[in-house]
Amino acid sequence: MTSSQSRGEQAVDDWQTRRTPYEKWVHRQGVPVIEGYGVADPFEQEFGHWDRIGAAAYFVVMKGMEGITGQYAVRLPAGHSTKWENHLYEKVVYVYSGRGATSVEDATGKQQHFEWKEGSVFAIPLNTRHSITAVEPCEYVAWTTAPMVFDLFYDEDFVYGNPYAFRDRFDGQDDYFSKEIREDRYWETNFIADIRMARIDPAEWRGAGTNLSMFEIANNSLICHLAHWPAGRYMLAHYHGGGAILQIVQGEGFSLMWSNEYGERPFENGHGDKVVRIDWKVGSSFSPPTNWYHQHFNTSPNAALQLALRNGSMKNPLGIRHAHAAAFTSTIPLEREDPAIRQMYEEDVARKGVASTMPGVGV
């Protein structure tokens, strides 16, 4: 190998490990940053004071986010509020615990307020001034498109100080946080009082007994879907583009993730050491990288419920999602599944005294 080749390879390595503008910004905020494939327990993490919002917080930068989506968690004592802010990235909030209210202000200065509780999901309209108040001690997670925005503009003052009002998204409508439209499994809404009580529709193509509903929120590109599957069952493996964040709302179990370069049967192909296992419970979150198979296994005696955040809505498609549109054709059916995966699941549920009700191959 020549010295020029060595320098070239080193330059590639440096480029691949260099922090993006968003990652640099995150690490300048003076709060903890969690990295890896997922967060097992959001309640056991270290918080630090984030001056921009005036509250305790930490950031999460998971490998599967890939500069598309962002995540941070916030802890607020009773009676405390975040500082008023507006920003050029989309934001969706899920309330881990507690009770409180959010205030938003339209371009004329008119304010609206809505209350939320544990299990609530809501979106902040793009670049709308807002503040979040805890009536009871609360913890919540926010998912954002901040990585794409910071990686394009680099400028914090521009991201947080732009006065432009996106009136096509929010123009002070009185019913903004109460109106909803539902057509089949697709749902348009900007506020869900308790995601655990939401109606979910059958989706057997994702696995026996699986239900799935998708919802567009705040006219965003950043949208959600909700997956529900019963005790003794698991979802089929599939892959798609990066940026998806998976949040466990109910249940306990584990997920397996592996690059599709290791095939549909990674254990049988001798690549079992490349399979990443994420053990999860209520509050856990994780993010599969681009073109990584991921498969979710419920080992609890009750149904599992998973909230998934991703970019690329039906109304507002995102080009990078179109480029990875194989999610619906990449599912591994039971008859092609790695036998070691079924064996792993059967052993796990047996240890917990839960009976597997997965159908046999070909059923």
Side-chain angles (χ1 to χ4, degrees):
M1 181 181 292
T2 66
S3 59
S4 62
Q5 287 175 319
S6 298
R7 288 194 297 272
E9 290 177 354
Q10 182 63 49
V12 170
D13 290 342
D14 289 345
W15 174 77
Q16 290 176 330
T17 58
R18 194 176 301 164
R19 285 178 178 169
T20 65
Y22 170 75
E23 291 168 343
K24 291 177 182 178
W25 173 78
V26 163
H27 283 272
R28 288 198 304 267
Q29 301 311 300
V31 302
V33 180
I34 299 173
E35 299 177 293
Y37 289 102
V39 181
D41 192 335
F43 309 107
E44 294 180 356
Q45 306 306 317
E46 179 186 356
F47 288 74
H49 182 75
W50 186 16
D51 185 63
R52 174 162 287 283
I53 66 169
Y58 64 81
F59 280 89
V60 179
V61 181
M62 293 184 278
K63 294 183 183 297
M65 291 176 170
E66 299 182 357
I68 302 171
T69 46
Q71 178 175 327
Y72 64 86
V74 176
R75 176 179 288 163
L76 279 175
H80 286 239
S81 302
T82 62
K83 294 179 180 179
W84 284 87
E85 61 171 336
N86 59 282
H87 41 68
L88 288 175
Y89 53 81
E90 297 171 347
K91 180 161 72 179
V92 177
V93 172
Y94 167 64
V95 181
Y96 285 136
S97 63
R99 187 170 60 88
T102 295
S103 302
V104 297
E105 186 176 280
D106 67 18
T108 69
K110 174 187 172 184
Q111 291 187 5
Q112 290 187 35
H113 313 277
F114 61 92
E115 297 181 353
W116 43 259
K117 60 182 180 179
E118 179 180 328
S120 293
V121 174
F122 58 89
I124 302 298
L126 183 64
N127 209 32
T128 296
R129 196 164 178 264
H130 62 280
S131 174
I132 296 176
T133 300
V135 175
E136 299 172 353
C138 77
E139 290 181 328
Y140 65 84
V141 61
W143 298 291
T144 75
T145 57
M148 292 190 291
V149 172
F150 273 98
D151 287 355
L152 283 172
F153 298 115
Y154 320 145
D155 191 316
E156 183 173 354
D157 290 339
F158 178 72
V159 172
Y160 284 96
N162 193 305
Y164 184 78
F166 292 83
R167 292 180 182 270
D168 60 327
R169 305 240 194 166
F170 177 65
D171 199 20
Q173 301 94 320
D174 291 335
D175 62 350
Y176 189 85
F177 295 100
S178 60
K179 184 179 179 180
E180 63 178 54
I181 301 172
R182 186 114 191 203
E183 296 181 4
D184 298 322
R185 70 176 72 255
Y186 295 97
W187 186 11
E188 288 187 43
T189 181
N190 303 316
F191 173 77
I192 301 171
D194 191 337
I195 197 71
R196 298 166 298 184
M197 305 299 291
R199 191 191 89 198
I200 318 176
D201 302 298
E204 293 284 324
W205 47 273
R206 274 290 171 87
T210 299
N211 295 324
L212 184 74
S213 287
M214 304 178 186
F215 55 98
E216 308 264 345
I217 190 162
N219 204 20
N220 282 346
S221 170
L222 182 63
I223 62 166
C224 316
H225 69 255
L226 191 61
H228 172 282
W229 65 107
R233 299 287 179 94
Y234 58 81
M235 295 178 67
L236 300 179
H238 64 286
Y239 67 81
H240 46 64
I245 302 172
L246 311 181
Q247 173 73 51
I248 302 300
V249 176
Q250 286 181 341
E252 185 176 298
F254 66 94
S255 292
L256 299 179
M257 305 192 299
W258 69 94
S259 172
N260 67 359
E261 68 180 289
Y262 302 125
E264 294 184 346
R265 297 188 169 194
F267 294 98
E268 187 175 83
N269 295 337
H271 299 298
D273 60 327
K274 303 296 195 304
V275 177
V276 175
R277 173 169 170 148
I278 305 289
D279 290 288
W280 45 256
K281 58 184 179 179
V282 173
S284 300
S285 61
F286 49 99
S287 181
T290 292
N291 291 347
W292 275 44
Y293 281 112
H294 45 286
Q295 189 165 11
H296 314 304
F297 303 82
N298 182 13
T299 63
S300 63
N302 302 306
L305 187 62
Q306 178 194 88
L307 178 64
L309 278 290
R310 61 180 176 82
N311 280 94
S313 73
M314 297 292 289
K315 292 175 60 180
N316 305 294
L318 195 68
I320 56 176
R321 293 295 298 183
H322 277 178
H324 295 278
F328 300 107
T329 59
S330 63
T331 300
I332 302 175
L334 284 176
E335 59 267 23
R336 297 207 308 265
E337 184 179 81
D338 194 321
I341 290 177
R342 172 68 73 101
Q343 181 180 352
M344 183 187 301
Y345 180 69
E346 302 284 358
E347 291 174 352
D348 267 55
V349 291
R351 282 195 297 270
K352 295 187 176 183
V354 176
S356 171
T357 59
M358 285 297 295
V361 173
V363 177

